[in-house]
Amino acid sequence: MTLDRRQFLAATAGGSLSLLGLPRLAQAQTLVEQTRVLCGFPAGGTTDAVSRRVGERLRGSFAKISLVENKPGVGGRLAVEELKRSAPDGTTMLLSPASPITLYPHIYKSLSYGINDFIPVSTACSINFALAVGPAVPDSVKTLKDFLAWAKANPSKASYATPGAGTPNHFVAALLAKESGVDLNHVPYRGSAPGVQDLVGGQIAAMSSPIGDHLPYIKNGKVRVLATSGAQRSRFLPDVPTYAEQGFKSLVMQEWYGFFLPLKTPAEVVNRAAAAIKAAVSTQDTIDAFAQLGLEAGANTPEDIARAVREENAAWGPIVKKVGFTPEA
């Protein structure tokens, strides 16, 4: 709370100076002593960057101390399972892409959690996917139609990388292959970085992954993005048409990153966390930092993100069935 000189004098004139400290004291009493933000992916990746950018800004607004704990493994599942075991008191929260919560229940039969095992708090940002080609594909391939024609004529070379099997990036490209009738060989990697390296190095023809993976390589001509997965063109690649614009109407997909708390966390704690997250992602420095990664910053309410979880979980079922994916595939 900020007081100008007249407010200060008015407050002190009646002997009420001590009252000025009450809002700060009340805030201090409601802060969680320490919270850890679980991140299910290694340090240095996009999820880690989002976790740290927002997690650091929860210090003083939601918790006295806020720390990020990387708990990578099995596509983010280890961190989700850790959240499920955690106390419902605000001392542990999770920052995760939506897919480990909304998609994985349709893929892993032995999954130890479901969408109703957590309290969604707020989104932090969203991202679209891109299909990019590298030097293994001739310069004459300028469009998605060109790529599919080239892939059909060169089946032994028609490979595409993703950051992992069973990820949304995988399903975008798998649906493209299914709907175009062109066989595309999926090569899953453990994360984006090694896949991008092989794409740029010409070891693999194409890659389906978040837009941000490709932004550093577009200007120097090492990769060409042929399509993006949003409902509209990405502001980061305004000259690149969407899949839908190029005839694939069902290939409209977007991933969001969201915060979750353990089930039975009190509503008052959930609402304070949501307010702190919204404040963190609304700052211009966070918006700019996310944009460097191809991310659109944006928070919503616990009710809105809970609705998104239910809707996306319902939508993934038919897609997984259509592609015919199993973890062993």
Side-chain angles (χ1 to χ4, degrees), residues 4-56:
D4 62 27
R5 185 172 181 274
R6 285 178 298 176
Q7 289 175 309
F8 180 84
L9 291 175
T12 57
S16 58
L17 178 61
S18 62
L19 296 179
L20 298 177
L22 285 180
R24 288 184 180 276
L25 179 61
Q27 181 187 38
Q29 289 175 336
T30 59
L31 290 178
V32 175
E33 192 67 30
Q34 176 174 310
T35 191
R36 57 175 181 153
V37 178
L38 297 173
C39 173
F41 298 86
T46 299
T47 309
D48 176 69
V50 175
S51 300
R52 295 184 184 281
R53 168 64 60 169
V54 181
E56 290 172 358

Side-chain angles (χ1 to χ4, degrees), residues 108-150:
Y108 301 101
K109 294 181 180 179
S110 60
L111 199 66
S112 63
Y113 61 83
I115 64 171
N116 296 318
D117 288 329
F118 313 98
I119 297 179
V121 181
S122 174
T123 55
C125 57
S126 61
I127 195 168
N128 291 331
F129 308 117
L131 182 73
V133 296
V137 177
D139 291 341
S140 58
V141 173
K142 305 291 187 184
T143 66
L144 185 60
K145 183 179 179 180
D146 292 342
F147 173 70
L148 293 172
W150 174 84

Side-chain angles (χ1 to χ4, degrees), residues 46 49-50 124-130 209-216 218 228-230 233-237 253-257 286-298:
T46 299
V50 175
C125 57
S126 61
I127 195 168
N128 291 331
F129 308 117
S209 66
I211 283 177
D213 291 345
H214 308 294
L215 294 179
I218 293 172
T228 58
S229 67
R233 293 192 182 194
S234 168
R235 72 179 176 99
F236 304 113
L237 296 171
M253 290 191 188
Q254 184 181 65
E255 178 92 302
W256 47 260
Y257 293 73
T286 297
I287 293 170
D288 293 342
F290 281 0
Q292 294 296 315
L293 301 172
L295 300 167
E296 292 281 5

Side-chain angles (χ1 to χ4, degrees), residues 144-167:
L144 185 60
K145 183 179 179 180
D146 292 342
F147 173 70
L148 293 172
W150 174 84
K152 190 171 184 178
N154 298 273
S156 64
K157 300 178 181 179
S159 57
Y160 71 93
T162 68
T167 61

Side-chain angles (χ1 to χ4, degrees), residues 206-319:
M207 185 167 186
S208 175
S209 66
I211 283 177
D213 291 345
H214 308 294
L215 294 179
Y217 303 97
I218 293 172
K219 289 185 179 180
N220 59 19
K222 290 185 177 181
V223 303
R224 307 185 303 281
V225 175
L226 305 182
T228 58
S229 67
Q232 293 86 33
R233 293 192 182 194
S234 168
R235 72 179 176 99
F236 304 113
L237 296 171
D239 296 329
V240 177
T242 65
Y243 283 105
E245 284 182 87
Q246 299 180 79
F248 297 93
K249 303 295 185 183
S250 65
L251 268 65
V252 178
M253 290 191 188
Q254 184 181 65
E255 178 92 302
W256 47 260
Y257 293 73
F259 281 89
F260 298 83
L261 283 166
L263 198 64
K264 297 184 180 180
T265 299
E268 186 267 337
V269 175
V270 174
N271 291 332
R272 282 197 293 108
I277 293 164
K278 181 177 181 179
V281 303
S282 299
T283 62
Q284 193 60 50
D285 64 331
T286 297
I287 293 170
D288 293 342
F290 281 0
Q292 294 296 315
L293 301 172
L295 300 167
E296 292 281 5
N300 59 6
T301 66
E303 293 76 18
D304 287 338
I305 186 176
R307 186 182 309 110
V309 167
R310 293 191 300 270
E311 291 176 352
E312 291 195 19
N313 177 253
W316 273 120
I319 294 173

